[in-house]
Structures are given as structure tokens and as C-alpha cells.
Amino acid sequence: MSSEWLAAIDMGSNSFHLVIARQVDGRLQIVDRLKERVQLAEGLEQTGRLSPEAMARGLACLRLFGERLGDIPRASLRITGTFTLRVASNADLFLTEARALLGHPVEVISGLEEARLIYQGVAHTQHTEGRLLVIDIGGGSTELIIGEEFAPLALTSRKMGCVTFSNHFFGNGRLTDEQFDAAILEAQHQLEPIMTRYRALGWEQCLGSSGTIKAVHELLLAAGLGPQIDMAGLSLLRSQMVAQKRMDQLKLPGLSEDRRPVIAAGVAILQALFEALHIQQMDFSDGALREGSLYSLTARQQHSDIRERTASGLAQMYHIDPDQAARVEATVLGLFDQVADSWALEVESYRPLLAWAAQLHEVGLVINYSAVQKHSAYLLAHSDLPGFNQQEQAFLALMARFQRKTIKRGDFTPIQNHEDEALWRCIRLLRLAVALHHRRQDGALPPLLLKAKEHKLTLSLPATWCQQNRLLMQNLTKEQKYAQEQGWELKLRQDAESLA
């Protein structure tokens, strides 16, 4: 397949989805969809861990998807993990095996990033007019977004999903009004912090995406109701389920076998949403997270990457010195380009992340210069960064944390999808760039020649320049000491020939 093809895999708590599309005249044409019910979240609530059986089902599904992907290039494929992979204590084990199987990293995205991508998927695939409320009920969480055209105005992710609520409120297999009421009350409790804001923003149209809402939509159609979902229809479905008393005996026209175990929880969550937000009716949308992932890929290919806008916006918010950020960025990228091959640093992954790390490494100055590296790391780790997945956000925080001063290995946390050695090498490059720009002046540096071999870096500088810039050389000598403490070598070579 050529680069005109794009693919996205959404690894949800209940089902995995694969969608393949072709770019035609500036738009996306969906050519194939695959869905497998994996129930990755099964047993998660009791143990906090993915069960071996759930992981085996997930990997078997990914193996199947891998056969369909063919030779779609890496830059044209995006694989996202959501709620269950955010919270499972042993998610790293599954993600490692998934990457080995697909030859591609899995991006574990935050709830807010999931909400943003869902909104993009709906907004790009559905005709809408005016302000829009989008709701997506997944296996482990529910996302709610208010937006206009392609711009979200409010994003939230609540910890209430059809799988987790089914396990908690309907785990005994019974269907009673008391169980529905308990599930609705908990969902309303989850919604309470956002109700006032969402009602105040308002909307002209409400759209629901995801398998749960699609299943409810189809049940209402089969019952001769709809096509919109409304409170009357939800109440009818609830009464029908309560009348049948048992989940395993539940039979409703239009209800599939794989949706039966979670449909009661889905209806309860929807009832809570309708009541809490005063929703009158909801239409169903085919667009969802995977379509949003596809459109994010096209934006990146067209050099309209939301991550760039996020970094720029954060820099403005925290009043970062743009000149210093630009100096450090240019230098660290120049150093990276010289050693990427010899250090086996993947250009596609690490080069843009290093650029953003350089742009944002001084955000902590808004708090205090003292321990700026710790302040910067905290802000980058805990801010909402649209477009960045959890691993990318962790990378930025890690770069900021170790940009200067003594390295405390105990503060280093490995990042899924990244080799520790590669992370430390990127840290060393950023530290060198920060040290070189200690004077915060343009034109202060000569041409830099950097060579790398295993743990050794050799930086060649003109001898005359070294003699004229003793303070900077003192700074580089300190960096030599810090490197030596870690068992690394930083050689500063004063080379008369480099003057040429």
C-alpha cells in the first residue's frame, strides 16, 4: 500500500477496532472496518491488573489486525489505548507484547485527549449545525464534549463505562430497578462536577458515538421507536430488561450476543446523562475515536500538528523567553542530527519530541528559578497537553527534570515504547544544549562538531573560542563532571582546525 493509505487501531476496554482509509481529493474514504470484542477490562476492577486471558484475547485480535494492515507505513498508522491501558498496573507488559507483535508503538492517551479525538471523529464525519454535544460511552469511561464545527469548547472524561458499571452494579447477573437506580445515582455523582458548566454552554444538537449508543439506537429501531434516542425509549428498554430479570436470559429484538452483558449498564449511564444534562434527544454518529485518529494523522502529514500549537500555546501561557527557547531548540536539533545514526536514535520519534522539550524546558521559571528543572517537570507532567499521548507527555517532563544540575537516577521513570538508553541519550543532548546557552545570547556559539560512540560524546570547539569564553567552558566542565558521575564520558576537544 502507498502513503495514500491510513489506518487507526482503537484498543478500547470492551472492543478493539481497526479502520482503514484512503485519501481521495483531500478527504478520507473509509474502505474497511474490523471489530473484535476483547473485553480487555474483564477482572480489572477486582485486581487492578489485566488478566492473562484478557491479554491473550487482545494479542490474538492484534495479530488478526496485523494481517490486514499489510505494508501501511508507520507514519500512516496510529494505535491508541484508552481507559483500561491507562489504569491497569501491568499495562506495560501488554503494551510491550503488542509493540513486538505489530512493530509499532501503542499510544496510551489521556481521557481528555481521547475526548478530543472522539470529537474530531464525529465533527469530520457528521453533518452538524450550531453547537454540538458529543457523548461516547466506552467500556471504562464516558467522554463528553461540547464544540462548534471542529473546535472543542469543553472536554471531560468520567470514570463510568459499560464494562466497569456492568461488573459493579449488575455483576450478579440480575436486572432489578434497585440495581438500575444505584448505577444511575453513581453516574450522576460522576457528572456533578461538570453539569453546571455544560448546561451553561448549551448545545443545538446532541450526538452519541460508540458501540453502546449504537446498540441502544438499534434496539429502539427494532422496537419501532426512534430514530432518535430519548428518555421514553430508554425507560422502555429498562422496563423490558427488569421484566426479564436475568442478564443471561435477556432477549430483546436487535440485541447481539456480545452486547448483552453490558447493555443494562449502558442504558443506566444514558438515563443518568439525559437526566443530569437535561438532554431531550440524541442522534447516533458513526464517527468516533478511530476516525479522529485518522484525521489527526492527515493533519500531521500536512504539517498542521496540534502538538505544535499546544507547545506554542503553553510557551505563551507561561511567558517563556522565545529567543532562549529557539536557541536551545536549534542547538539540540543540530546535535541530534550529528549523532542520531551512531546512537541509533529514531529520527521520526525523538527529533520532534526533543524540539518541543527545548521549547518548553523553562516553563518552571513561572514558579521560581531555583530548582527550575523540577518545576518545569511538574508543570509538563500535570498540564493538559492536547495532541500529546501519555508517553510523549512523560518524555517532555523527563527531559525538563534532567535538563541541568546533578542527576538523581531515583527520579527517572521508564517510559513505555521508549528504550531507557535512548531516553538518557536524549537527556544528554538537551543538557548539552542548555549548558551551551547559559549566556542567553545570540551568536555566542561557534560551529559545533559532536561525535558519539556508545557512552562517549566528543564535542569539538575552536581553541580560540574556548579561550575567549571561559565562563561557558566552565559550564561545560561542570557538565563533564555530572556525566562522569553517571559513568558517561564527555570529552571537550579544543581543535584549532575547527576554526575553518
Side-chain angles (χ1 to χ4, degrees):
M1 295 182 179
S2 69
S3 59
E4 72 181 20
W5 295 89
L6 299 170
I9 294 176
D10 163 20
M11 302 197 314
S13 300
N14 192 44
S15 301
F16 285 10
H17 296 260
L18 166 66
V19 60
I20 297 176
R22 189 165 65 98
Q23 299 186 69
V24 181
D25 298 329
R27 64 183 180 87
L28 289 182
Q29 180 184 76
I30 305 296
V31 299
D32 199 8
R33 295 180 189 269
L34 291 176
K35 173 190 172 183
E36 290 287 324
R37 183 167 174 262
V38 171
Q39 289 186 296
L40 193 65
E42 188 177 55
L44 179 67
E45 193 170 82
Q46 289 75 34
T47 66
R49 297 171 60 84
L50 302 175
S51 69
E53 296 79 10
M55 286 197 284
R57 289 194 299 269
L59 294 172
C61 175
L62 294 179
R63 194 173 292 110
L64 181 69
F65 285 0
E67 294 176 11
R68 181 63 185 86
L69 288 172
D71 59 352
I72 291 178
R74 177 170 176 168
S76 300
L77 171 63
R78 189 169 189 189
I79 307 172
T80 53
T82 54
F83 177 81
T84 295
L85 293 174
R86 286 197 291 269
V87 301
S89 60
N90 61 339
D92 283 359
L93 178 60
F94 178 80
L95 293 171
T96 299
E97 295 193 39
R99 178 174 187 172
L101 189 63
L102 295 173
H104 193 286
V106 177
E107 303 178 49
V108 180
I109 56 177
S110 68
L112 293 182
E113 179 64 6
E114 182 178 357
R116 187 188 71 80
L117 289 175
I118 288 166
Y119 183 79
Q120 293 303 316
V122 172
H124 278 91
T125 57
Q126 190 87 11
H127 174 69
T128 62
E129 294 182 1
R131 190 164 290 183
L132 186 65
L133 169 64
V134 173
I135 296 174
D136 186 294
I137 301 174
S141 63
T142 293
E143 282 65 49
L144 300 96
I145 313 97
I146 292 178
E148 291 183 8
E149 297 183 338
F150 302 117
L153 303 175
L155 299 161
T156 190
S157 178
R158 315 311 297 175
K159 292 181 180 179
M160 52 187 202
C162 63
V163 174
T164 52
F165 264 45
S166 183
N167 292 337
H168 189 71
F169 296 102
F170 301 94
N172 61 5
R174 299 174 61 225
L175 298 166
T176 67
D177 279 320
E178 290 76 15
Q179 287 171 289
F180 271 97
D181 288 342
I184 290 169
L185 186 63
E186 174 59 25
Q188 290 177 334
H189 175 72
Q190 293 278 348
L191 293 167
E192 193 171 9
I194 62 136
M195 287 192 301
T196 301
R197 184 187 181 199
Y198 273 60
R199 287 176 184 170
L201 281 171
W203 58 86
E204 281 75 53
Q205 185 179 7
C206 176
L207 288 173
S209 62
S210 78
T212 293
I213 293 175
K214 181 180 181 180
V216 171
H217 170 71
E218 291 174 346
L219 287 174
L220 293 177
L221 288 177
L225 302 173
Q228 286 88 17
I229 299 171
D230 59 22
M231 197 62 179
L234 294 172
S235 297
L236 174 65
L237 292 179
R238 169 177 168 168
S239 65
Q240 289 177 336
M241 285 187 272
V242 169
Q244 296 189 36
K245 297 182 180 180
R246 296 288 306 176
M247 189 87 72
D248 56 3
Q249 297 172 5
L250 188 60
K251 292 183 180 180
L252 296 173
L255 180 62
S256 64
E257 283 292 323
D258 66 336
R259 189 56 57 176
R260 178 191 293 167
V262 296
I263 191 62
V267 169
I269 292 171
L270 273 172
Q271 283 194 301
L273 287 162
F274 270 67
E275 290 177 6
L277 297 177
H278 301 164
I279 299 170
Q280 299 301 311
Q281 63 182 32
M282 173 188 289
D283 291 294
F284 173 67
S285 169
D286 273 325
L289 172 61
R290 46 258 177 212
E291 287 78 17
S293 293
L294 290 177
Y295 280 98
S296 73
L297 282 172
T298 62
R300 291 181 185 183
Q301 291 177 350
Q302 295 165 4
H303 306 292
S304 179
D305 195 331
I306 186 174
R307 294 174 296 179
E308 190 64 52
R309 298 197 298 275
T310 294
S312 177
L314 203 66
Q316 293 178 26
M317 180 190 303
Y318 289 114
H319 306 290
I320 289 174
D321 180 348
D323 295 330
Q324 178 68 358
R327 294 181 198 107
V328 174
E329 179 185 358
T331 296
V332 77
L333 293 183
L335 298 176
F336 177 90
D337 291 341
Q338 293 183 59
V339 301
D341 287 341
S342 54
W343 257 2
L345 293 174
E346 192 175 276
V347 174
E348 184 181 277
S349 295
Y350 290 110
R351 196 177 194 277
L353 286 173
L354 264 178
W356 291 316
Q359 292 171 27
L360 298 173
H361 75 284
E362 287 192 331
V363 294
L365 284 176
V366 73
I367 298 175
N368 201 319
Y369 173 75
S370 178
V372 62
Q373 68 275 17
K374 294 181 181 179
H375 303 319
S376 294
Y378 181 86
L379 289 173
L380 291 175
H382 295 91
S383 297
D384 175 26
L385 302 182
F388 288 91
N389 61 49
Q390 285 188 335
Q391 296 98 322
E392 291 168 339
Q393 188 164 358
F395 180 96
L396 298 183
L398 199 65
M399 295 299 110
R401 174 63 186 86
F402 294 109
Q403 64 179 278
R404 61 195 287 270
K405 297 292 186 179
T406 301
I407 293 173
K408 296 181 179 179
R409 291 265 179 166
D411 293 342
F412 179 88
T413 302
I415 301 174
Q416 179 58 235
N417 293 331
H418 297 283
E419 297 292 336
D420 288 358
E421 190 64 53
L423 293 173
W424 282 117
R425 287 173 173 177
C426 287
I427 288 169
R428 293 182 68 183
L429 294 177
L430 181 61
R431 289 177 66 90
L432 199 52
V434 170
L436 283 163
H437 286 287
H438 188 71
R439 290 174 58 185
R440 309 179 77 88
Q441 292 179 354
D442 289 330
L445 298 182
L448 303 171
L449 177 62
L450 185 68
K451 293 184 178 180
K453 184 177 181 182
E454 297 180 348
H455 293 298
K456 179 180 179 180
L457 280 177
T458 301
L459 179 63
S460 296
L461 298 163
T464 303
W465 182 89
C466 294
Q467 294 167 7
Q468 295 171 350
N469 292 271
R470 293 182 180 179
L471 282 176
L472 268 182
M473 288 304 298
Q474 186 181 65
N475 218 37
L476 290 173
T477 301
K478 288 181 181 179
E479 186 57 30
Q480 262 187 325
K481 178 185 175 184
Y482 294 136
Q484 187 177 11
E485 291 172 352
Q486 302 301 316
W488 304 328
E489 183 179 355
L490 173 60
K491 182 178 180 181
L492 301 175
R493 178 179 172 183
Q494 298 188 24
D495 190 352
E497 295 181 2
S498 62
L499 286 169

